Amino acid sequence: MPSTMTSLQRQLASIAATSTNELNLKAQRTAHAKSLLFEPSEAAAQSFDSLYQICVEGFDELCALDARFDRFAKSIFSPHSKSENRAQMTRAEDDKLSSVLKGFLELVGPRLMLKPALKAVEWLVRRFRIHEYDTEWTILTFLPYHSTHLFPALLAILPKQLSSSFKFLHPYMSTLKNPPQSAITYTAAHNPAFFDALNQYVITVSKTTPHNKALLSFWAGVAAQTVEAKLRSSQSGRINIQAQREEDFLMQILPVIHEGLMLRKATELVLGCYMLIVVLVSKVDLDNATLDAFLQAVANSWTNDTIDSGLSCAAVIAESKDNEYIPTSVCQKLFKIDSIGRKLAQLSSAQYAQNLIVGVGEEALQTIISGDASLLRVIRDLLEDRSLDVACEKKITGLIAETLQGVGDPSSLAIPSMKELQQLAVSQHAQSEEAKNGHHSGENSESDLDMQESDPRSNAVLVDTISLPDEIAENNFLARSASPAYSQLASVFGQLILSGKSTLSFFDLPAWKSEGEFDRFRVLSFLIRTWITNQSSTVRSKAILVAVERLTREATNAEVDAMLLYNIVGLMDKSRKTRKQAALAIQYLARLDLLARRPTAYSLLTDLYGRIKAQEDNVVFATLNDFVLKFVLSSLDECVADRAHLLSVFRVALKSSSEPQSREGTKLKHLKSEQRDDLLKWISQHVHHTSVMTAKYRLLSIATALDKINKEPRSIFFLPSLKQWADSSDSEALSCRSENFLSADLDAVFFETIHPSDDEAINFALNVAQGRYGTVRRALQDAAFTRLHSLWPNLKEGRRIKVAQTLLDSVDSNLPDSLSSNAMAESTRLLRNVKSSPPVLLALLAKVNDGLVSVSETPSSSPAKKRRTDRGSVISSEGNEADIKRTLLRSSLVLEIVDDSKHEYDITMFHEVFKTLRILQGFQIHALSDVGYLQALGFSKLAKIAQQFMSQASAPKLDLAVIRVDLVIDCVRNTTNTQARNSALLLLAALTRYLPQLVLQNLIPIFTLMSASTMRQSDEFSIYVVRQTIEGVIPLLANSLRCRNQDLIVATAEVLLSFAGAFDHISHAQRIPLFKLLATSLGQDESLYAIITTLVDRHPHNGEVTRFSAGLLRQFETPEALNTVVQYLRLASNAKESVDSTSAALLKSHQDSRDADSIFVNLLSTVPRLLREGIPKAQLQDDLLQDDEASQITSCFRDLFRTAIQLSKLLKKEKRGHPIALEILEEVLALMPFNEFIKSVEPILDKDDDQVSQSILKSVEQQIRTSKQFDFESKNAAINFLPRLNRLLRGSTSESLKLGAVACVDRICEQFGKLNTDATMEAAKTVVSSCFGQEDVLLRVVALHTMASCVEVLQNEFIPLLQQSVTLVSDALVDAASPKSQNLRLHNASLALATALVDRFPYLLSPTAFDSLVHALSKAASSQLGSGAASTRAQFLSVVSARVPIKPLFETAERNWLDALRNGPSALNQLLQVIFHCLEHTGKSAVIKDHRSILETFFTFLDLRKMIPAAQVTSKYETEESINNLENTILEILLALVFKINDTIFRPFFIRVVDWSVGSANKTVSAFQTPRIITVFNFLTVLSQRLKSLVTSYFDYVIDPAASILNSKTASKEDKSTTALKLAILRAFSLSFQQDDSSFYHSPSRFQRLLPAVVAPLSQGALSSTLTEHAITAVVSLAVAIAAVPDHLDKLTDSLVALCKSESSKIRVITVRTMRRLTDTEGLGADWLGQCLPRMKQVVAELQEDDVEAVERETTGWIKAMEACSGERIEDTLA
């Protein structure tokens, strides 16, 4: 009966869920099979001994790697560990073991990718179950390897239920896929428990294993992303919420950072903490105190390995502060670092670190002035390092100035460090602003430079004049590079300017005088170099001002020229202040009219640079005057504002056309032709002779802005200077560095002067580039190549060709020096990168061809002769190996360039590349050559050009004398280079269109080669090559064969076989497209069957090939697919009977050892699957609806059907082939349209071939079963087919044929039977008459199912067959349950029919029919058919209980009760279940209506205990438990009945039952009555349990019989039945006593009758323990029930006291135990003692003195219970 789960069951279920399965062997095997290394099946078979040997080997290898593992050898890897079991350990033992295991995991974590480590961990998994007991620690150990193959292995063994921290792994556990980093990061950001666990694990592991790089790197990445994500998410919501979220997260992460920084040995952990700090301070607004704490923690954490990262982190923290203060303790840590000044300076160049540097500098200066000079090194290193940031340098300089001012006069202090600090400030201050900006002339922003003036604090520094030399050797500071004397003078001059002192005394020094005379030009040249070179902008502008002040009208030509030239250069200064002063100087020159008063010419070299030179260097001042007056003066304001404007001024002045307007709108006149030459010559001369590199650079920048001057290229003027610069020494080039820019910049601007029309200059650049111009600098060579590259687009075609050929000459494998090597590399790069036109490419090809011919043996040989020569004979055996290598290298370069070019449609290039490949053919056997690569390049280009030909409307004019098809084919055959072969194939495909005859005659072997090479490649390009070859060649080949009337399949058999041979090597994704393309190219009507044939024959019994063939067939239309199968079958038949030409060509396996039958069977075995999967039935049905295709498909079907029939006849006697033929026939029939199918098969069924008929019937049944929709014609055809099936059933003697026919009848009747019930009824009669009584069980099974279908279809029309069908069902059930022939299918089939009958005709079944069914069911229940049969019977019985009325069902149960009883408990229980369910389904009114007959049946049911012995079937009811279970079921049914009737009906019935069971109360109960009485009292127990006090009054009818039975005296030992009877009575009355809510037992009459009976069992000596316990319970329950009646309680006490005085010690013991129970009973004990204790004192005292120890012991216990209940000492009252 259904019942709810009790609390005990729930507790047991909970225990089972957490059980360790110590007794569940299957669960233990499953747990043992969980392994990291082995498959579950292999792991399950391993013993711990064998596993230990494997794992301990890995552990020993770990010990050899790291001695720290040795400590585990005596614990978890000791031999004793094999017997340890964690499930049997105490909590303390398990915790101790867990700590050891975790220690091992910490140590082995970094080595998990090693095989020995995995073996060792395997032992922990298998023996100690760490994945179950230490799950969290195990997961965290493996988590850094989440992207490797280890993690899925771990996921496979983890328990299904993980903690909330790791629940994100559940999706990956089900799929065994690696979790991505993003998933872990997301979990860490949104699951605080996981993030805390990870952090705590990392800290713990780092304490013992600080170098776990895998873990720490993983943690750093996850933690950084998590911190950023958490901070980003905290920025939403209100301000107070954001602040709270940030604070909460900081409280979570800061302890982790603090602990991490303390572990200084864990370098990766410390670096990770630095990264977290950087993220925090950049995302969160922290106060200064917190930032200072961060600085202190970082400073305490760094080591030599982390100092750089620590400084970077400290810089970020310091920049987050709102002041520059750095705590002293942090500074002291910094000062202990070697070269801290340089480290900080270098840090400033990489990141913003001003606050840190200034704070450290300020602390250092304070320490210095306190007397500690050791920190002076910090300031010195900071300022001397050129990488120090400019802003930081200004700050440090200002701090020094403040410090010096604060201490007063340094000379008055006896502190050496002050003087050194002063000197350091003086030497550094002059260059402080320029050094910070870097260094190319003309690159820095002028606005920045003007703002970068010296700090006012540094200007306040007072400097002393450094002692100067008495004499200066240089008379002209412009003629040569700066000397040490100039550096000294410039330093003093700069100090004077910056300190605000006058320079008069400086220039009055004796050193400026030459032979006693003051040398004005020496001073001017000094000032010029000063304002040009890289000094402070203040110094530069002041130098110009001083020069102007010293300029007079008596100035020499050299002074005027120098002032003009270098002030023009000054207009290009990066400082606006300097440019403004230069503009004022030029205006001053013009105002004094100094240029106009000059002579017409003067020698620049002689007068200005002090050199003797010819007159061609003269300068025309008139031209300069015109230039200044007309162009410069009017543009000075623009030049001051923009230093690039001067270039525009020169462009306008030197231009010969296109006159722009001035600002006033007037036309500007250009200089005359002669003046333009003079001006450019003037600039070029200064470039040539000046030693000021900055001036050179700026003047050359002017020149590069010009194009041509008077149609002459600018390089005419500057080529001499370029040559001079190329010849310059390294020291002159290094002078650029002294002016703070790179010589490479000057190299570049020199070569920029080269004009694309100047051949001489271009040749010079080529010579420099190739290293043929002496020994030049590498940078100069690079500049030449850079200029050639930029010139290339502007060169004329002829110059390009020359340059390209010259560069090609630089390509040589044997080079003498590094410059030549660089020349080769740069030449190659330039040729590759420039865009070459076809003429250039052709010129390069011609040069390469000439080189190839020159190293061959017979360069004049004709092509015809070379073709007749063996490959390789062109090479001279004594040829120059170096020349060959060089020539091939150049050929490779040129072919690469040609292949990369975009000029595709070029016939000349097509021919030229063919010539190159023809010559290269002779180099194939040379050891130094890689002709395959060169061929790949050449054929690739030819293929591209040929494909372009195909896109043109007109055919190209190809030179057949040059185009060598045999060369292409030879490459395909012989090359080992895949790229060359693919390109050659593409070329062949393209050439086939234009030269078909030349290609097709050599084509067939090509496909054989392709199958062994290109088709075996899986890359996309190889597939593309194959497709292009098929598309380009195969259609032309097929057309050619058709025109010659050749057999297409025989002629192309080699092609098809080559594709079949390459099948395994073609990628799965490309197979269908390639073979479909092959079929369509050849014509699918003619070739598709042949393709499938070659595939199946080449790969026999290969399921993949069969599946592919079906897939290929699906790619084509239905008629084509059907026709293909017909052709395939005919070819197979031909191969079986005789070998024709087609089969001989296609079936190459005829040549191997297999016989024809094996080949034939292999071919046939594919056909069923081709028909089943290759021709989709849905598509077929759709095609049949199309009128234009329906007739064609029908025709194909007839051919296919005819072929299949012929094949089945041909193979009728073949054991191997005939089953396949029948299967083919079935698949053909399954495909055919049903109407056509029925028409075709009816004539065949009349013939004698049973196997064919069986296949037909099977196909009919399958089509009807699988077809979801049938049209009207098909349905009629199926119904009309029934008579033919009836004749077959009646006339055939073959049971297998009948089986097929009845299956068809079943399907037809089930789906279409309602269309013609007469035909269906006739079929049912035929089945009944023809299919039963046969020995074939399967036939009976199908027939029964058919009858069930007919019942559903015919409904009431089936009534004539009802009784006969019931008989069939009963017989079948009996046969199915027979021990000799048990059959589950027959059992289920018979119940299927029975279910249909009962469900449809429940009122028409006669009692006899019901009896036969119940009898058969009882037989089935007693059989050994299993749970499946029981389930089927349960379903049938549920239908019976729901459909059959209750009265006949109970009557049937009563009639068949004895039969079911004889068949055993299962049969009886089955019968009880059906009547119980029927009672549940029946309403109260129906039950009340038939209650008499229903209640009458219960007299039979309740007599179960008596009937079992009477029926002599006791052996089938082996245990009392089985009888009790059946009785409980009966009582539950009776109780269910009670709920549906009233007391008026039930009470008389109950009285009858009591009388029926016990008879008269005065009679002695006989053994015959005992079973009935037991049942009655059990029923009363059930009633009391369910109805409580409602049934208490019913006990009045059984008090007397019960009292009689309990009071009866028996022998010393009672039999089991009597004991059971008394137990039943006591249980019933105990429950009734407990539920007496109506004072039923307070009645004196009832009490007087009951009291002796209840106490009587206590007075009987031989009691079983169970009966004794129930007797005591009954007494106690009665006492509770009558507690409210003192007299009754006294009487009960007296009865017990009397028993205490019994002679039997057993009775005394039981009585004392009863009285103790009364004392302990809650709600009774205290009242009972208070009332009855006085009368019990004497007997208690006597019992204390009892001679029997057991009595005395029980009494003592009772006394203690009384004392506990009353709270008084009882012994003192006993006397």
Side-chain angles (χ1 to χ4, degrees), residues 787-1061:
R787 183 54 183 162
L788 287 172
H789 191 284
S790 62
L791 283 173
W792 184 268
N794 300 318
L795 294 177
K796 293 183 178 179
E797 203 66 66
R799 291 192 181 98
R800 287 184 186 176
I801 293 174
K802 181 179 178 181
V803 170
Q805 290 178 334
T806 304
L807 292 174
L808 185 61
D809 290 337
S810 301
V811 179
D812 192 349
S813 58
N814 297 315
L815 300 171
D817 51 35
S818 61
L819 281 177
S820 299
S821 300
N822 184 56
M824 174 183 170
E826 291 297 325
S827 297
T828 303
R829 183 183 63 82
L830 195 151
L831 287 172
R832 291 182 189 276
N833 294 337
V834 298
K835 186 176 182 181
S836 301
S837 60
V840 174
L841 296 176
L842 291 172
L844 292 175
L845 282 171
K847 187 174 180 64
V848 165
N849 291 341
D850 292 342
L852 290 171
V853 171
S854 67
V855 297
S856 63
E857 180 183 29
T858 56
S860 60
S861 299
S862 65
K865 181 177 180 180
K866 288 184 180 180
R867 283 196 295 272
R868 292 191 301 269
T869 308
D870 292 335
R871 288 184 293 112
S873 62
V874 219
I875 299 300
S876 174
S877 59
E878 299 177 358
N880 190 327
E881 299 290 340
D883 291 342
I884 295 173
K885 189 173 182 181
R886 177 172 55 253
T887 304
L888 291 174
L889 184 63
R890 293 174 181 174
S891 302
S892 174
L893 173 61
V894 172
L895 286 174
E896 288 173 356
I897 296 171
V898 170
D899 186 42
D900 291 338
S901 67
K902 303 301 181 183
H903 309 290
E904 307 297 0
Y905 192 74
D906 195 318
I907 297 296
T908 307
M909 188 176 295
F910 189 76
H911 293 158
E912 198 66 31
V913 174
F914 246 119
K915 291 179 184 178
T916 304
L917 292 174
R918 184 193 65 196
I919 300 172
L920 284 171
Q921 184 76 1
F923 289 81
Q924 288 194 7
I925 64 172
H926 199 278
L928 299 177
S929 67
D930 184 9
V931 178
Y933 175 66
L934 300 180
Q935 287 177 328
L937 295 172
F939 284 125
S940 174
K941 185 63 179 179
L942 291 174
K944 293 175 185 177
I945 297 175
Q947 288 172 355
Q948 286 296 318
F949 291 163
M950 298 172 65
S951 63
Q952 302 299 323
S954 58
K957 297 180 180 180
L958 301 177
D959 187 355
L960 298 182
V962 176
I963 297 175
R964 296 270 303 278
V965 176
D966 63 315
L967 189 69
V968 185
I969 295 175
D970 183 73
C971 174
V972 175
R973 287 178 175 175
N974 299 304
T975 185
T976 58
N977 188 291
T978 303
Q979 184 66 27
R981 183 185 301 108
N982 290 341
S983 299
L985 288 171
L986 289 176
L987 179 60
L988 278 176
L991 288 178
T992 306
R993 179 176 178 181
Y994 305 104
L995 306 172
Q997 298 305 321
L998 291 178
V999 177
L1000 293 179
Q1001 62 186 2
N1002 297 298
L1003 188 63
I1004 300 301
I1006 294 300
F1007 282 97
T1008 303
L1009 294 170
M1010 283 175 59
S1011 67
S1013 56
T1014 307
M1015 290 186 192
R1016 294 175 181 262
Q1017 306 299 320
S1018 59
D1019 59 286
E1020 293 184 2
F1021 182 69
S1022 296
I1023 298 299
Y1024 169 76
V1025 170
V1026 175
R1027 291 183 64 88
Q1028 289 296 108
T1029 306
I1030 294 173
E1031 290 176 352
V1033 176
I1034 296 297
L1036 295 176
L1037 175 63
N1039 291 335
S1040 175
L1041 293 172
R1042 292 189 185 100
C1043 291
R1044 296 200 300 267
N1045 293 323
Q1046 292 185 355
D1047 190 317
L1048 177 65
I1049 300 305
V1050 174
T1052 58
E1054 291 293 336
V1055 177
L1056 301 181
L1057 289 170
S1058 65
F1059 273 86

Side-chain angles (χ1 to χ4, degrees), residues 1102-1150:
N1102 189 324
E1104 185 177 359
V1105 170
T1106 306
R1107 182 170 56 252
F1108 166 77
S1109 300
L1112 179 61
L1113 203 60
R1114 282 197 302 271
Q1115 304 301 312
F1116 298 93
E1117 298 295 332
T1118 303
E1120 295 170 348
L1122 292 172
N1123 185 55
T1124 298
V1125 177
V1126 172
Q1127 291 173 304
Y1128 183 89
L1129 287 174
R1130 288 174 180 170
L1131 176 66
S1133 299
N1134 293 339
K1136 171 69 175 175
E1137 295 176 341
S1138 62
V1139 179
D1140 59 1
S1141 58
T1142 305
S1143 60
L1146 293 177
L1147 303 177
K1148 288 295 184 181
S1149 49
H1150 277 299

Side-chain angles (χ1 to χ4, degrees), residues 1373 1391 1393-1403 1405 1409-1410 1413-1414 1417 1432-1450 1452-1453 1470-1471 1473-1479 1481-1482:
L1373 267 177
L1391 286 179
L1393 177 56
T1395 301
L1397 294 174
V1398 172
D1399 187 49
R1400 177 58 58 184
F1401 312 110
Y1403 297 98
L1405 293 175
F1410 272 122
L1413 284 175
V1414 172
L1417 286 169
T1432 305
R1433 289 195 303 275
Q1435 294 176 9
F1436 167 69
L1437 292 174
S1438 66
V1439 174
V1440 171
S1441 62
R1443 298 290 293 159
V1444 178
I1446 187 170
K1447 180 179 179 181
L1449 188 60
F1450 268 78
T1452 300
Q1470 176 180 267
L1471 186 60
Q1473 291 294 334
V1474 70
I1475 62 176
F1476 176 77
H1477 290 299
C1478 179
L1479 187 61
H1481 293 152
T1482 306

Side-chain angles (χ1 to χ4, degrees), residues 1281-1292:
F1281 192 57
L1282 279 177
R1284 181 68 190 85
L1285 293 173
N1286 292 337
R1287 291 197 301 273
L1288 186 62
L1289 287 172
R1290 296 190 191 101
S1292 177

